[in-house]
Amino acid sequence: MALPVLSVQLGAQTAPLKTLPDFYDSVPAAELAARITDAMTDEELLAQTFMFGWAGQEPTNLLMDWITERSLGSIKIFGWNTEDSVELAKAVGLLQKKSNSTRFRIPLFVATDQEGGWIRHVKGLTSETPGNLAIGASGYPIDAYYEGFYIARELSVLGINLNFAPTVDLYTNHESSIIGPRSFGQSPEAAGILARAFVQGSRKAGVLTTAKHFPGHGDTALDSHGKLPSIAISQETLYNRELIPFQYLIESGVPAIMTGHLHFPAVSEHGEPATFSRYLLQTVLRGHLGFKGLVITDDMMMHGAIRYAGAVDKAVQLALEAGNDIIESSTTPRLYDAFWTENLKRMQTTPAFRLRVKDAAYRIIETKLRYFKSGNAVPLYPDVYTVADKLPDAEGQAFFLSLAARAVTIVRNKYIPYTAKPSEKILLAGGYSAFLQAGLKRFPGAKTSNLSDGLLSKAAVSDTIIFCLANDSSLQLLQQLYKAYPRKKYIIFSCLSPVFLSGIPEIPTAIALYSYAPVSFTAGFAALLGDYTPQGKLPLDGIN
């Protein structure tokens, strides 16, 4: 509700006092966003472009000071905030109430990374899901739609309104340690179609989505958390491969895109990451691709950004100048860190920088106005009394199991369907308790190993070894095991990426699951025993 119009007597005339615009005024979004940004101080404009995380379950006093004293624009939920789902819902409600007490009453964007599968920052009571590579294996856009829908419906219960998903990086480099099963696969067109369906499902449940990591993180084995990856592809390849999924999502109205701390020497010849590239963000993303939504940085505390910029405050400056609208930080800076003071000073001394910050704040506020007044937004204040009843989503649980079954892929089929002999000694070997539990339900008499409890000695007295292959270290263990006991019967369950199967081609029975979610193991054992015939297809080339 807007503040009342007051008046003062000026001689024989009465003049109205100018009142502050209010976020909930009944004014068109573009006009109201302009009024608000025109009335904002430099501090309020700059703070609206920031998105901060915090340590621990409860929000810190420092974070609340950023909201009440400076009108912080957004917050980010990380895994360390989410052990208790009820407490998380309370925290989100508290922070939104703090934001509602500021001069313009602008709500917070509450963001997280809930991609499905491997990346699930919001833990607690939420569902473990098969993830993108499983959707790529099923090949059905409707699976992507409902994965997005049910993930978003769970986030809505907690008051989280912005999801940093879907990941549309292509699984081009099979050595990748950071993308892997987060990808829909190698095909740009398939990734675009499936990601578009994920966005539509999320939109139906009221949660905004973010395509990432622009312009594509898939063709590198390096992790930008630790260093700046350099992706040596031509500009032609960039346009005809990496950018295709982003084009699909832009055409379907994705509201936000996250930039990556990634260097493309054939495009950014001065060595700047995409995060700091005016060419990539303004000429390519805004111009060539026609994107009109929000541009959000990846975590500015990642070394891939800081090492290039030299300091965090400089990284913030460069990111804003390049065309990012929201600056994400996994930590909450102190109120007078250089992160803040140097960029505020630059606003006051460099008119072009102030205009860029004001433009970013305008874009953020207009997006918020359109979203929060749409009639399909996540509630600002979660109902903490219903969290335990709504999470995990019961319909979602049933769907995720069916998706897991559609994704299961028979890579090598010698012992499928498998029937154990009455006296057969079976060893279930894997590092995930969900794998061991699912295996014991189907083979109650089996022995188990978590891979660090005398695996070789347990294998020595076993006839059949059902092994969960998840990463390079478990591949090395399996290679050692096979070398020691080559005459045993082996069955591999590949969870996460199936690329590790290429490291042990001698074993003639292998099933790809694509995730370590309990539903994936349940579906995998059902396929092994012939409960159904899996139809999943490998979404990667060169795996056999």
Side-chain angles (χ1 to χ4, degrees), residues 4 17 27 137 222 244 388 405 459 534 543:
L17 284 177
V27 176
L222 298 179
I244 295 299
I543 309 297

Side-chain angles (χ1 to χ4, degrees), residues 207-223:
V207 174
L208 299 174
T209 46
T210 310
K212 63 184 185 185
H213 305 79
F214 183 83
H217 204 317
D219 200 5
T220 176
L222 298 179
D223 180 355

Side-chain angles (χ1 to χ4, degrees), residues 429-507:
Y432 296 107
S433 60
F435 164 77
L436 301 176
Q437 292 167 9
L440 286 172
K441 287 181 180 178
R442 304 311 300 262
F443 301 102
K447 303 298 183 183
T448 63
S449 170
N450 62 12
L451 306 185
S452 61
D453 56 357
L455 173 61
L456 284 173
S457 60
K458 291 184 178 182
V461 295
S462 301
D463 301 311
T464 300
I465 300 163
I466 304 176
F467 192 95
C468 181
L469 177 62
N471 48 38
D472 189 62
S473 61
S474 60
L475 172 60
Q476 292 180 36
L477 282 174
L478 180 56
Q479 289 169 333
Q480 294 171 16
L481 197 61
Y482 187 82
K483 184 176 180 180
Y485 306 111
R487 298 187 181 279
K488 302 286 186 183
K489 186 185 295 182
Y490 291 87
I491 295 168
I492 305 175
F493 278 125
S494 164
C495 70
L496 298 176
S497 172
V499 299
F500 298 103
L501 287 171
S502 297
I504 189 81
E506 306 91 331
I507 295 178

Side-chain angles (χ1 to χ4, degrees), residues 226-228 302-311:
K227 58 183 66 176
L228 178 62
M302 291 163 62
H303 291 296
I306 297 173
R307 286 182 180 174
Y308 174 82

